[in-house]
Amino acid sequence: MIPSYFFAHGAPSLVIEDHEYTRFLKQFAASLPRKPKAIVIFSAHWESRIQEVGSVETHGTIYDFSGFPDALYQMTYPAPGDVPLSEQVSALLSGAGIGNRLDTRRGLDHGAWAVLKLIFPNADIPVVALSVNRYLSNEQQYEIGKALGELREQDILIIGSGGIVHNLRQIKWGAGAETVDSWALEFDQWIQERLENWNTEELFRYEELAPNASRSVPTNEHFIPLLLAMGSGDANRKAQLLHRSYQWGSLSLAAWQFS
């Protein structure tokens, strides 16, 4: 069974940056037990009030950002889709009572392609993209991931792409990697303890229980992919922090494995 993962995708410029985290991502594929047959990825940048399941033959590249270097707008990630897998994902969700629909048009947004381009630069693994719904409860997010957990037995890699501490208004541009705001670190460490102990009861209540929660997670769309990836690891309930560093004082660049 292949593990599932959560990866922070940072800023859109992540894919052209060179630092500890991007080097980790570039080396990550070599750590997998085998090459995935396909990838199912939830991106914080695809929001929908009903669960969307991408179902395309080949992915276009969405440039859902502005004001970044021209090199970013020249990048593509033409990964193939996997329509039968999309239909299987839809069926698994429906079987768990989770309403969903297939989307036959949308390409990959930067929350998906920036991470995938660093890990699997050849774009030769089929990808099925999924949306997130910020209006569901944390328990419901977890259940969506859990519904797809059996895909791991088919060597399908499940990824949640977002950010644990992700408040762009708190960023200190120019701050070095050694600068970490105490409030961001406290929140990250609180989340870490609940993940490692698989304490979903408290984790689902992070908004009221965790220190600095509203400052760290001002809106929840970037946090949701963590719960989705975690839910897909419900069968064994083992969480491992693979990497954590910070950009600009508080932007958390974390990678978690659920196996």
Side-chain angles (χ1 to χ4, degrees):
M1 179 182 293
I2 197 167
S4 54
Y5 296 88
F6 168 83
F7 295 113
H9 60 244
S13 54
L14 180 77
V15 72
I16 58 173
E17 294 168 0
D18 179 26
H19 47 66
E20 184 182 356
Y21 183 54
T22 57
R23 290 191 289 272
F24 162 81
L25 292 176
K26 289 177 181 178
Q27 297 168 2
F28 171 76
S31 71
L32 291 171
R34 50 201 160 273
K35 185 176 180 179
K37 292 181 180 177
I39 300 167
V40 169
I41 184 166
F42 292 90
S43 170
H45 289 272
W46 184 4
E47 291 190 58
S48 175
R49 283 182 175 267
I50 186 171
Q51 182 63 60
E52 302 268 13
V53 181
S55 183
V56 300
E57 295 290 344
T58 303
H59 290 283
T61 306
I62 300 173
Y63 307 101
D64 50 336
F65 47 81
S66 60
F68 286 88
D70 291 343
L72 286 178
Y73 303 94
Q74 307 304 317
M75 290 190 173
T76 61
Y77 195 80
D82 187 332
V83 173
L85 176 57
S86 297
E87 293 170 348
Q88 182 183 2
V89 167
S90 178
L92 288 172
L93 293 170
S94 296
I98 299 163
N100 66 92
R101 64 189 175 205
L102 296 174
D103 180 291
T104 60
R105 300 178 62 184
R106 184 181 171 91
L108 296 176
D109 58 66
H110 84 269
W113 66 258
V115 168
L116 293 178
K117 194 171 183 69
L118 287 167
I119 300 174
F120 303 109
N122 294 331
D124 59 349
I125 301 174
V127 175
V128 172
L130 288 92
S131 65
V132 301
N133 181 356
R134 69 165 69 191
Y135 300 101
L136 300 178
S137 69
N138 293 326
E139 292 89 345
Q140 288 172 308
Q141 309 291 359
Y142 184 94
E143 290 299 318
I144 290 172
K146 183 178 178 180
L148 302 183
E150 67 182 70
L151 294 174
R152 297 166 53 213
E153 299 175 4
Q154 304 170 35
D155 286 344
I156 293 170
L157 178 62
I158 299 175
I159 294 175
S161 174
I164 296 177
V165 181
H166 191 276
N167 187 339
L168 300 184
R169 294 188 177 185
Q170 296 292 321
I171 280 177
K172 298 175 181 175
W173 297 108
E178 71 283 354
T179 302
V180 184
D181 292 336
S182 60
W183 59 268
L185 185 59
E186 288 172 5
F187 179 79
D188 241 342
Q189 290 175 335
W190 189 95
I191 295 296
Q192 176 180 350
E193 182 177 342
R194 275 69 191 172
L195 291 173
E196 290 176 341
N197 294 322
W198 215 273
N199 185 346
T200 55
E201 181 179 352
E202 292 189 3
L203 185 62
F204 293 162
R205 297 171 58 206
Y206 77 89
E207 294 102 327
E208 58 180 295
L209 297 178
N212 315 305
S214 61
R215 193 175 186 183
S216 301
V217 187
T219 56
N220 68 344
E221 75 284 345
H222 277 76
F223 193 86
I224 289 169
L226 177 69
L227 299 173
L228 294 163
M230 184 187 188
S232 67
D234 182 79
N236 295 327
R237 299 192 167 196
K238 294 180 180 179
Q240 180 182 359
L241 179 63
L242 302 180
H243 177 93
R244 183 167 65 210
S245 55
Y246 294 87
Q247 276 185 306
W248 309 310
S250 63
L251 188 62
S252 175
L253 301 177
W256 280 91
Q257 174 180 288
F258 301 102
S259 58

